[in-house]
Coordinates of all heavy atoms in Angstrom, one line a residue:
L1161 N -8.9 -13.3 -26.7 CA -10.2 -13.2 -27.4 C -10.0 -12.6 -28.8 O -10.6 -13.1 -29.7 CB -11.2 -12.4 -26.5 CG -11.6 -13.0 -25.2 CD1 -12.5 -12.0 -24.4 CD2 -12.2 -14.3 -25.3
I1162 N -9.3 -11.5 -28.9 CA -9.1 -10.9 -30.3 C -8.3 -11.8 -31.1 O -8.6 -11.9 -32.3 CB -8.4 -9.5 -30.1 CG1 -9.4 -8.5 -29.3 CG2 -8.0 -8.9 -31.4 CD1 -8.7 -7.2 -29.0
G1163 N -7.3 -12.4 -30.6 CA -6.5 -13.3 -31.4 C -7.2 -14.6 -31.9 O -6.8 -15.2 -32.9
S1164 N -8.3 -15.0 -31.2 CA -8.9 -16.3 -31.5 C -10.1 -16.0 -32.4 O -10.7 -17.0 -32.9 CB -9.5 -16.9 -30.2 OG -10.3 -16.1 -29.5
I1165 N -10.5 -14.8 -32.7 CA -11.7 -14.5 -33.6 C -11.2 -14.1 -35.0 O -10.5 -13.0 -35.1 CB -12.5 -13.4 -33.0 CG1 -13.1 -13.8 -31.7 CG2 -13.7 -13.0 -33.9 CD1 -13.9 -12.7 -31.0
P1166 N -11.4 -14.9 -36.0 CA -10.8 -14.6 -37.3 C -11.3 -13.3 -37.8 O -12.5 -13.0 -37.7 CB -11.3 -15.8 -38.2 CG -11.6 -16.9 -37.1 CD -12.1 -16.2 -35.9
G1167 N -10.5 -12.4 -38.4 CA -10.8 -11.2 -39.1 C -10.9 -10.1 -38.1 O -11.0 -8.9 -38.5
L1168 N -11.1 -10.3 -36.8 CA -11.3 -9.2 -35.8 C -10.1 -8.3 -35.8 O -10.2 -7.1 -35.7 CB -11.7 -9.8 -34.5 CG -12.0 -8.7 -33.4 CD1 -13.2 -7.8 -33.9 CD2 -12.4 -9.4 -32.1
P1169 N -8.8 -8.8 -35.7 CA -7.7 -7.9 -35.7 C -7.6 -7.0 -36.9 O -7.1 -5.8 -36.7 CB -6.5 -8.9 -35.7 CG -7.0 -10.2 -35.2 CD -8.4 -10.3 -35.7
G1170 N -8.1 -7.3 -38.0 CA -8.1 -6.4 -39.2 C -9.1 -5.3 -39.1 O -9.0 -4.3 -39.7
V1171 N -10.1 -5.5 -38.2 CA -11.2 -4.5 -38.1 C -10.8 -3.4 -37.1 O -11.1 -2.2 -37.2 CB -12.5 -5.1 -37.6 CG1 -13.6 -4.1 -37.4 CG2 -12.9 -6.1 -38.7
L1172 N -10.0 -3.8 -36.0 CA -9.7 -2.9 -35.0 C -8.4 -2.0 -35.3 O -7.7 -2.4 -36.2 CB -9.3 -3.7 -33.7 CG -10.5 -4.5 -33.1 CD1 -10.0 -5.3 -32.0 CD2 -11.6 -3.6 -32.7
P1173 N -8.3 -0.9 -34.7 CA -7.1 0.0 -35.1 C -5.8 -0.7 -34.9 O -5.5 -1.4 -33.9 CB -7.3 1.2 -34.1 CG -8.7 1.2 -33.7 CD -9.2 -0.3 -33.7
A1174 N -4.9 -0.4 -35.9 CA -3.5 -1.1 -35.8 C -2.8 -0.7 -34.5 O -2.0 -1.3 -34.0 CB -2.8 -0.8 -37.1
W1175 N -2.9 0.7 -34.2 CA -2.1 1.2 -33.0 C -2.5 0.4 -31.7 O -1.7 0.4 -30.7 CB -2.4 2.7 -32.8 CG -3.8 3.1 -32.5 CD1 -4.7 3.5 -33.4 CD2 -4.5 3.1 -31.3 NE1 -5.9 3.7 -32.8 CE2 -5.8 3.5 -31.5 CE3 -4.1 2.8 -30.0 CZ2 -6.8 3.7 -30.4 CZ3 -5.0 2.9 -29.0 CH2 -6.3 3.3 -29.2
F1176 N -3.7 -0.2 -31.7 CA -4.2 -0.9 -30.5 C -3.8 -2.4 -30.7 O -3.4 -3.0 -29.7 CB -5.7 -0.7 -30.4 CG -6.3 -1.6 -29.3 CD1 -6.1 -1.4 -28.0 CD2 -7.1 -2.7 -29.6 CE1 -6.6 -2.2 -27.0 CE2 -7.7 -3.5 -28.7 CZ -7.4 -3.2 -27.4
V1177 N -4.1 -3.0 -31.8 CA -4.0 -4.4 -32.0 C -2.6 -4.9 -32.0 O -2.1 -5.9 -31.4 CB -4.7 -4.9 -33.3 CG1 -4.4 -6.3 -33.6 CG2 -6.2 -4.6 -33.3
K1178 N -1.6 -4.1 -32.7 CA -0.3 -4.5 -32.8 C 0.5 -4.7 -31.5 O 1.0 -5.7 -31.2 CB 0.5 -3.6 -33.8 CG 1.9 -4.1 -34.1 CD 2.6 -3.1 -35.1 CE 4.1 -3.5 -35.3 NZ 4.7 -2.6 -36.3
P1179 N 0.4 -3.6 -30.7 CA 1.1 -3.8 -29.3 C 0.4 -4.8 -28.4 O 1.0 -5.5 -27.7 CB 1.1 -2.4 -28.7 CG 0.0 -1.7 -29.4 CD 0.0 -2.2 -30.8
L1180 N -0.9 -4.9 -28.6 CA -1.7 -5.9 -27.8 C -1.3 -7.3 -28.1 O -1.0 -8.1 -27.2 CB -3.2 -5.7 -28.0 CG -4.1 -6.7 -27.3 CD1 -4.1 -6.5 -25.8 CD2 -5.5 -6.6 -27.8
L1181 N -1.3 -7.7 -29.4 CA -0.9 -9.0 -29.8 C 0.6 -9.3 -29.6 O 1.0 -10.4 -29.6 CB -1.4 -9.3 -31.3 CG -2.8 -9.2 -31.5 CD1 -3.2 -9.5 -32.9 CD2 -3.7 -10.1 -30.6
G1182 N 1.4 -8.2 -29.6 CA 2.8 -8.4 -29.5 C 3.3 -8.6 -28.0 O 4.5 -8.9 -27.8
I1183 N 2.4 -8.4 -27.0 CA 2.8 -8.6 -25.7 C 3.0 -10.1 -25.4 O 2.1 -10.9 -25.7 CB 1.7 -8.0 -24.7 CG1 1.7 -6.5 -24.8 CG2 1.9 -8.4 -23.3 CD1 0.6 -5.8 -24.0
H1184 N 4.1 -10.4 -24.8 CA 4.3 -11.8 -24.3 C 3.8 -12.0 -23.0 O 4.3 -11.6 -22.0 CB 5.9 -12.0 -24.3 CG 6.3 -13.5 -24.1 ND1 7.2 -13.9 -23.2 CD2 5.8 -14.6 -24.6 CE1 7.3 -15.2 -23.2 NE2 6.4 -15.7 -24.1
M1185 N 2.6 -12.6 -22.9 CA 1.8 -12.7 -21.7 C 2.5 -13.4 -20.5 O 2.5 -13.0 -19.4 CB 0.5 -13.3 -21.9 CG -0.6 -12.3 -22.5 SD -0.6 -10.7 -21.7 CE -1.2 -11.3 -20.1
P1186 N 3.2 -14.6 -20.8 CA 3.9 -15.2 -19.7 C 4.9 -14.3 -19.0 O 5.0 -14.2 -17.8 CB 4.6 -16.4 -20.4 CG 3.8 -16.7 -21.6 CD 3.3 -15.4 -22.0
A1187 N 5.6 -13.5 -19.8 CA 6.6 -12.5 -19.2 C 5.9 -11.5 -18.4 O 6.3 -11.0 -17.3 CB 7.4 -11.8 -20.3
M1188 N 4.7 -11.0 -18.9 CA 3.9 -10.0 -18.2 C 3.3 -10.5 -16.9 O 3.3 -9.9 -15.9 CB 2.8 -9.4 -19.1 CG 3.3 -8.5 -20.2 SD 4.2 -7.1 -19.6 CE 5.9 -7.7 -19.7
L1189 N 2.9 -11.8 -16.9 CA 2.4 -12.4 -15.7 C 3.6 -12.6 -14.7 O 3.3 -12.4 -13.5 CB 1.8 -13.7 -16.0 CG 0.5 -13.7 -16.8 CD1 0.1 -15.1 -17.3 CD2 -0.6 -13.0 -16.0
A1190 N 4.7 -12.9 -15.2 CA 5.9 -13.0 -14.3 C 6.2 -11.7 -13.7 O 6.7 -11.5 -12.6 CB 7.1 -13.5 -15.1
L1191 N 6.1 -10.6 -14.5 CA 6.3 -9.3 -14.0 C 5.3 -8.9 -12.9 O 5.7 -8.3 -11.9 CB 6.2 -8.2 -15.1 CG 6.3 -6.7 -14.7 CD1 7.7 -6.5 -14.1 CD2 6.2 -5.8 -16.0
V1192 N 4.0 -9.2 -13.1 CA 3.1 -9.1 -11.9 C 3.5 -9.8 -10.7 O 3.4 -9.3 -9.6 CB 1.7 -9.5 -12.4 CG1 0.7 -9.5 -11.2 CG2 1.2 -8.6 -13.5
A1193 N 4.0 -11.0 -10.9 CA 4.5 -11.8 -9.7 C 5.6 -11.2 -9.0 O 5.7 -11.1 -7.8 CB 4.8 -13.2 -10.2
V1194 N 6.6 -10.7 -9.8 CA 7.8 -10.1 -9.2 C 7.4 -8.8 -8.5 O 7.9 -8.5 -7.4 CB 8.8 -9.8 -10.3 CG1 9.9 -8.9 -9.8 CG2 9.5 -11.1 -10.8
L1195 N 6.5 -7.9 -9.1 CA 6.1 -6.7 -8.5 C 5.4 -7.0 -7.2 O 5.6 -6.2 -6.2 CB 5.2 -5.9 -9.5 CG 5.9 -5.3 -10.7 CD1 4.9 -4.7 -11.6 CD2 7.0 -4.3 -10.3
H1196 N 4.6 -8.0 -7.1 CA 3.9 -8.3 -5.8 C 4.8 -8.9 -4.8 O 4.6 -8.7 -3.6 CB 2.8 -9.2 -6.1 CG 1.5 -8.5 -6.6 ND1 1.3 -8.2 -7.9 CD2 0.5 -8.0 -6.0 CE1 0.2 -7.5 -8.1 NE2 -0.3 -7.4 -6.9
L1197 N 6.0 -9.6 -5.3 CA 6.9 -10.0 -4.3 C 7.6 -8.8 -3.7 O 7.9 -8.8 -2.5 CB 8.0 -10.9 -5.1 CG 9.1 -11.4 -4.3 CD1 8.6 -12.3 -3.2 CD2 10.1 -12.1 -5.2
V1198 N 8.0 -7.8 -4.5 CA 8.6 -6.6 -4.0 C 7.6 -5.8 -3.1 O 8.0 -5.3 -2.0 CB 9.0 -5.6 -5.2 CG1 9.5 -4.2 -4.6 CG2 10.1 -6.3 -6.0
E1199 N 6.3 -5.8 -3.5 CA 5.3 -5.2 -2.7 C 5.1 -5.9 -1.3 O 5.1 -5.2 -0.3 CB 3.9 -5.2 -3.4 CG 2.9 -4.5 -2.7 CD 1.5 -4.6 -3.4 OE1 1.5 -4.7 -4.6 OE2 0.5 -4.6 -2.7
A1200 N 5.2 -7.2 -1.3 CA 5.2 -7.9 0.0 C 6.4 -7.5 0.8 O 6.2 -7.4 2.1 CB 5.3 -9.4 -0.3
L1201 N 7.6 -7.4 0.2 CA 8.7 -6.9 1.0 C 8.5 -5.5 1.6 O 8.8 -5.3 2.8 CB 10.0 -6.9 0.1 CG 11.2 -6.3 0.7 CD1 11.7 -7.2 1.9 CD2 12.3 -6.3 -0.4
F1202 N 8.0 -4.6 0.8 CA 7.7 -3.2 1.2 C 6.7 -3.2 2.4 O 6.8 -2.5 3.4 CB 7.2 -2.4 0.1 CG 8.3 -1.9 -0.9 CD1 9.6 -2.4 -0.7 CD2 8.0 -1.1 -2.0 CE1 10.6 -1.9 -1.6 CE2 9.0 -0.7 -2.8 CZ 10.2 -1.2 -2.7
V1203 N 5.6 -4.0 2.2 CA 4.6 -4.0 3.2 C 5.2 -4.5 4.6 O 4.9 -4.0 5.6 CB 3.4 -4.9 2.8 CG1 2.4 -5.1 3.9 CG2 2.7 -4.2 1.6
R1204 N 5.9 -5.6 4.5 CA 6.5 -6.2 5.7 C 7.5 -5.2 6.3 O 7.5 -5.2 7.6 CB 7.3 -7.5 5.3 CG 7.8 -8.3 6.6 CD 6.7 -8.8 7.4 NE 7.2 -9.5 8.5 CZ 7.5 -8.8 9.7 NH1 7.4 -7.5 9.8 NH2 7.9 -9.6 10.7
V1205 N 8.3 -4.5 5.6 CA 9.3 -3.6 6.2 C 8.7 -2.2 6.6 O 9.1 -1.7 7.6 CB 10.5 -3.4 5.2 CG1 11.5 -2.4 5.7 CG2 11.2 -4.7 4.9
Q1206 N 7.8 -1.7 5.7 CA 7.3 -0.3 5.9 C 5.9 -0.2 6.2 O 5.4 0.9 6.5 CB 7.7 0.5 4.7 CG 9.1 0.9 4.5 CD 9.2 2.1 3.6 OE1 8.7 2.2 2.5 NE2 9.9 3.1 4.1
G1207 N 5.2 -1.3 6.2 CA 3.7 -1.2 6.3 C 3.3 -0.5 7.6 O 2.3 0.3 7.6
T1208 N 3.9 -0.9 8.7 CA 3.4 -0.3 10.0 C 3.6 1.2 10.0 O 2.7 1.9 10.6 CB 4.2 -1.0 11.2 OG1 4.0 -2.4 11.1 CG2 3.7 -0.5 12.5
R1209 N 4.7 1.7 9.5 CA 4.9 3.1 9.6 C 4.0 3.9 8.7 O 3.9 5.1 8.8 CB 6.4 3.5 9.4 CG 6.9 3.3 7.9 CD 8.2 4.0 7.7 NE 8.0 5.5 7.7 CZ 8.5 6.2 8.7 NH1 9.3 5.7 9.6 NH2 8.3 7.5 8.7
T1210 N 3.4 3.3 7.7 CA 2.5 3.9 6.8 C 1.1 4.1 7.4 O 0.3 4.8 6.8 CB 2.4 3.2 5.5 OG1 1.7 2.0 5.6 CG2 3.8 3.0 4.8
G1211 N 0.8 3.5 8.5 CA -0.5 3.4 9.1 C -0.9 4.8 9.8 O -0.1 5.5 10.3
T1212 N -2.2 5.1 9.6 CA -2.8 6.2 10.3 C -3.9 5.8 11.2 O -4.8 5.0 10.7 CB -3.4 7.2 9.3 OG1 -2.3 7.8 8.5 CG2 -4.1 8.3 9.9
P1213 N -3.8 6.1 12.5 CA -4.9 5.8 13.4 C -6.2 6.5 13.0 O -6.1 7.6 12.6 CB -4.4 6.2 14.7 CG -3.4 7.2 14.5 CD -2.8 6.8 13.2

Side-chain angles (χ1 to χ4, degrees):
L1161 294 179
I1162 292 176
S1164 61
I1165 300 176
L1168 185 57
V1171 176
L1172 298 175
W1175 62 265
F1176 171 73
V1177 173
K1178 185 175 179 180
L1180 175 68
L1181 298 182
I1183 293 178
H1184 187 227
M1185 282 310 302
M1188 290 298 95
L1189 292 172
L1191 177 59
V1192 170
V1194 168
L1195 289 175
H1196 279 82
L1197 180 64
V1198 172
E1199 183 180 332
L1201 173 64
F1202 283 2
V1203 171
R1204 185 65 181 86
V1205 174
Q1206 284 205 309
T1208 303
R1209 69 164 294 114
T1210 66
T1212 294

